[in-house]
Amino acid sequence: MEFTKQNRIAKTVALSFVLGIASCTQAQNSNPSDSAPGKAFAVVELFTSEGCSSCPPADKLIEQLQEENPNAPLYILAYHVDYWDHQGWKDRFSNRAYSSRQQQYVNWLNLTSLYTPQIVVNGQSENTGSDEGATVQAINNALSHHSQGNISLSTSKKNDVLEVSYQFNGDPKGNSILLALVQKKAESNVTAGENTGRRLPHVQIVRALQAEDTRSQHSLQIKTPDGYKPEGYELIAFVQNKKTGKIIAAAKSDLDQ
């Protein structure tokens, strides 16, 4: 797509706006595992696949968002869906559960069908995953609203299981809490399908996802994937309304501390 000079300037201003709000918010909240009541945040969920030729630009966009806003209250998750796996290339990060999660958004947002790449922000808006302008606008909108609770996380590991304890300071009624184990970076050499011959970089890959009805406090177990190294992963938690899909609070924690 060809952008005019005016559009390019508008996008640059929008990206700066994201960074400015993020820096301000982070200065008030030095604990990376907390998203205190009243703090703005944006949960950015990308549905993607190595088998989809339109997806690499979307993967690049979330990588750009991640790199250019390191102190932002952005919680980025890339779900690799499995419905492209029959096109000649099986995405090693794909999972049927992530396709099912995307189907939930079809229902919540009254969409007609699944598609990739797709970005959903705070469970309330969706756009084509490679559309930078629409994505930044959705993030800016999310960052103009307050969270409705505070999530605190603590973790410990025994063998190949991660024990995650959480506390939620907010109204748990009608909500689910989701805990995502996220691999920060990876690459794949694709030898078949629509992306044959391409080396695809990925960021913020969801490797495991656990959900339950929100409680004030509880513990969950997450099985770590093969080759797990804590410095290469982080844990993202968010609370989501089961009826509307609206995400009302979020937090994250590095696992190498």
Side-chain angles (χ1 to χ4, degrees), residues 20-242:
I21 291 179
S23 298
C24 178
T25 304
Q26 187 69 14
Q28 300 176 53
N29 181 19
S30 60
N31 187 338
S33 295
D34 292 340
S35 180
K39 299 293 191 268
F41 69 94
V43 174
V44 180
E45 298 178 87
L46 170 66
F47 295 92
T48 186
S49 173
E50 291 181 348
C52 162
S53 62
S54 300
C55 286
D59 293 317
K60 182 63 178 177
L61 176 57
I62 63 167
E63 182 180 16
Q64 180 183 357
L65 286 169
Q66 186 81 353
E67 290 179 350
E68 295 184 2
N69 299 279
N71 297 317
L74 297 180
Y75 303 91
I76 299 175
L77 305 105
Y79 302 95
H80 288 236
V81 298
D82 73 336
Y83 52 82
W84 279 95
D85 286 355
H86 66 282
Q87 298 291 331
W89 176 255
K90 186 180 188 307
D91 188 332
R92 63 192 174 109
F93 300 117
S94 67
N95 192 308
R96 176 64 56 85
Y98 307 153
S99 302
S100 297
R101 175 155 181 78
Q102 190 182 22
Q103 181 62 49
Q104 283 186 306
Y105 279 124
V106 171
N107 301 330
W108 278 327
L109 300 176
N110 296 314
L111 305 177
T112 58
S113 64
L114 302 172
Y115 73 92
T116 55
Q118 181 185 37
I119 279 179
V120 180
V121 178
N122 278 8
Q124 293 293 279
S125 66
E126 66 87 26
N127 57 263
T128 302
S130 55
D131 188 334
E132 180 181 323
T135 300
V136 169
Q137 182 177 355
I139 292 172
N140 285 337
N141 182 61
L143 292 175
S144 69
H145 294 80
H146 300 302
S147 67
Q148 298 177 26
N150 170 52
I151 305 170
S152 297
L153 299 168
S154 62
T155 62
S156 61
K157 186 175 181 296
K158 184 176 182 180
N159 298 323
D160 62 348
V161 173
L162 194 66
E163 182 85 17
V164 181
S165 297
Y166 70 84
Q167 291 186 332
F168 176 58
N169 178 19
D171 186 359
K173 295 179 181 178
N175 298 318
S176 297
I177 187 164
L178 294 92
L179 302 176
L181 182 62
V182 176
Q183 185 174 348
K184 296 177 183 179
K185 291 184 178 181
E187 290 186 345
S188 293
N189 292 311
V190 179
T191 60
E194 291 191 359
N195 288 310
T196 299
R198 301 186 67 175
R199 186 174 187 177
L200 301 181
H202 304 302
V203 298
Q204 296 300 106
I205 312 151
V206 178
R207 301 299 308 274
L209 186 67
Q210 295 276 12
E212 68 172 19
D213 288 348
T214 306
R215 310 184 194 187
S216 296
Q217 58 182 21
H218 196 231
S219 295
L220 291 173
Q221 290 186 335
I222 300 176
K223 189 177 185 303
T224 56
D226 293 341
Y228 170 83
K229 295 181 180 180
E231 63 272 16
Y233 286 76
E234 67 181 11
L235 184 72
I236 294 178
F238 55 97
V239 174
Q240 186 166 40
N241 185 279
K242 292 190 289 185

